[in-house]
Amino acid sequence: DCVHLMLAAGAAVNQANADGFTPLLVACQEGHLDVVRLLLAAGAAVEQVRDDGVTPLYKACEKGHLDVVRLLLEAGAAANQAKDDGATPLHIACQEGQLECVQLLLEAGAAISQAKDDGATPLFIACQEGHVDIARLLLEASAAVNQAAAGGLTPLLAACHNGHLEIARLLRDAGADLHQAAEDGATPLIAA
């Protein structure tokens, strides 16, 4: 009701605070679906970014607000828009274990092998964090099983280093190179 009141009184729908948060970005971060819907109808810019490149879609994926993610994608939010470090909504959804958000992003055409500035792909992040179902989904969508991040670290090496047995088994079965070493010579067996 307060949002209705402010908009009816002429409040600037795209005005950001000192930290770059717009009303839409805040509503997406907090998962307020009805407010997001209202702000979009009032002309909120779905692609407006903070200084660091964070978008409303990125925040909604980070927090796992599935209905907000769906609404933003329907409103034309770019699934592959990267923030300053190269992280996309798919990267953050993989990091935070937001399986259903990952599914929606893939359906919307999110780039499965797009790497962050440090070379980390969505699959690498899911394997490093131990999110088995997300790793399985990415592999089923043809993620590159041996694509290495900075330092030559592969998804298998990250999984072994962190003791994620089920993911290591999943990667092995998907054809991961058991002998691919990082730049420092570490192999998955050494990491394990």
Side-chain angles (χ1 to χ4, degrees), residues 75-94:
N80 294 313
Q81 172 114 16
K83 62 187 212 89
D84 290 355
D85 65 358
T88 64
L90 184 56
H91 288 106
I92 194 64
C94 288

Side-chain angles (χ1 to χ4, degrees), residues 22 53 99 104 170 188 192:
T22 63
L99 176 65
L104 276 180
L170 181 68

Side-chain angles (χ1 to χ4, degrees), residues 37-81:
R37 192 174 285 122
L38 180 62
L39 291 169
L40 289 172
V46 74
E47 291 299 325
Q48 188 169 347
V49 299
R50 280 192 334 206
D51 290 343
D52 61 358
V54 169
T55 64
L57 181 59
Y58 185 94
K59 276 297 183 187
C61 287
E62 179 180 34
K63 300 297 183 178
H65 301 307
L66 187 62
D67 290 333
V68 173
V69 170
R70 185 177 291 112
L71 180 60
L72 291 170
L73 289 169
E74 290 170 359
N80 294 313
Q81 172 114 16

Side-chain angles (χ1 to χ4, degrees), residues 85-170:
D85 65 358
T88 64
L90 184 56
H91 288 106
I92 194 64
C94 288
Q95 179 179 319
E96 298 300 320
Q98 307 295 353
L99 176 65
E100 291 173 316
C101 290
V102 171
Q103 289 172 316
L104 276 180
L105 290 166
L106 292 176
E107 290 168 9
I112 197 164
S113 293
Q114 184 172 339
K116 292 174 33 182
D117 293 349
D118 64 4
T121 62
L123 178 62
F124 179 88
I125 293 168
C127 293
Q128 183 177 44
E129 298 297 322
H131 301 304
V132 178
D133 291 335
I134 292 175
R136 183 176 293 110
L137 178 64
L138 293 169
L139 288 168
E140 289 170 358
S142 300
V145 70
N146 292 311
Q147 187 172 341
L153 299 174
T154 64
L156 181 58
L157 215 156
C160 288
H161 177 75
N162 291 311
H164 301 307
L165 175 61
E166 193 171 345
I167 291 180
R169 191 175 288 131
L170 181 68

